[in-house]
Amino acid sequence: MTKYYYLTVNSKNVGIVASLNEIPLIINSKADAINMDLPINVWVQPGKNQLAVTLDPPPGGGGIPEDAEMEALVFIHDPKSQSPNPGVILARLQWPPDGAVNKIQNFPQGLLVSFDVVQPPATKLWQDAETIKEITQTDQRELVALVETLRIAL
C-alpha cells in the first residue's frame, strides 16, 4: 500500500516559511491566517529529513500580536480517512511552545526538527537530481521571493 506524506501548517498573525529538506514549500509573508495541507511524497528522502520553519513578524512593523501562533506537522496520511489526516506523526513544530507565557522573542525565529523515513515513497527525484553544492543567503531570499510571487499569481 502506498503511503502518502503530508505537511500541514496552521498559523495566524505571523509570517512563515516552512521548508522540507531546505526546500521552501509553504510561504506566507503577509502573516494571514492559513490552514494548509500539502502532499510531500516527492520531497521526502530516504533516511534523515528536516522540517524547518522561519517565523517573521507581520508586515507593517507592529510586532507580533499576542494571539499569534503556528503549528507545522509532517505525517503519514491515515488511509481510513478521505481527507489528509494524521495516521503517524513524523515531526511537529509549534510556536509558541506549550506553556509559554511571553511570546515576545527575537525575530526572525527559526525552528528545526529532524525525522527519519525508513521506507520512503517511490520517487526517482533523489537518485536523479544533481546535488547543489552551495546556496548563499541571497540566493535563498531570491528563491523565496520568487516562490511567493508565483503563489500570489495563482
Side-chain angles (χ1 to χ4, degrees):
M1 178 188 324
T2 302
K3 293 181 182 178
Y4 295 96
Y5 292 76
Y6 280 86
L7 168 61
T8 293
V9 172
N10 297 303
S11 71
K12 69 176 182 179
N13 294 326
V14 65
I16 181 172
V17 176
S19 303
L20 183 63
N21 299 320
E22 299 185 23
I23 301 161
L25 297 177
I26 296 177
I27 299 170
N28 180 22
S29 59
K30 293 182 179 179
D32 299 327
I34 62 169
N35 181 354
M36 184 178 283
D37 299 314
L38 184 69
I40 57 169
N41 277 31
V42 71
W43 303 113
V44 175
Q45 59 187 356
K48 184 180 178 183
N49 289 263
Q50 287 190 329
L51 171 62
V53 173
T54 302
L55 301 173
D56 283 303
I64 300 289
E66 277 297 311
D67 63 343
E69 60 186 9
M70 182 284 310
E71 181 180 47
L73 294 174
V74 172
F75 62 88
I76 299 171
H77 167 65
D78 180 357
K80 297 174 190 163
S81 174
Q82 291 184 359
S83 59
N85 229 347
V88 176
I89 296 175
L90 301 173
R92 179 177 183 258
L93 291 172
Q94 179 181 348
W95 184 88
D98 284 332
V101 177
N102 187 351
K103 296 182 187 180
I104 306 303
Q105 299 179 16
N106 293 329
F107 284 89
Q109 178 81 30
L111 307 170
L112 179 70
V113 64
S114 296
F115 61 96
D116 289 319
V117 173
V118 179
Q119 296 176 328
T123 179
K124 293 185 178 184
L125 174 69
W126 299 107
Q127 293 90 353
D128 295 347
E130 288 185 39
T131 302
I132 298 173
K133 302 291 185 200
E134 181 181 354
I135 185 167
T136 66
Q137 291 290 347
T138 302
D139 293 335
Q140 268 187 327
R141 281 191 301 275
E142 289 174 359
L143 287 170
V144 168
L146 175 61
V147 170
E148 177 70 0
T149 300
L150 293 172
R151 184 187 70 83
I152 290 169
L154 292 178

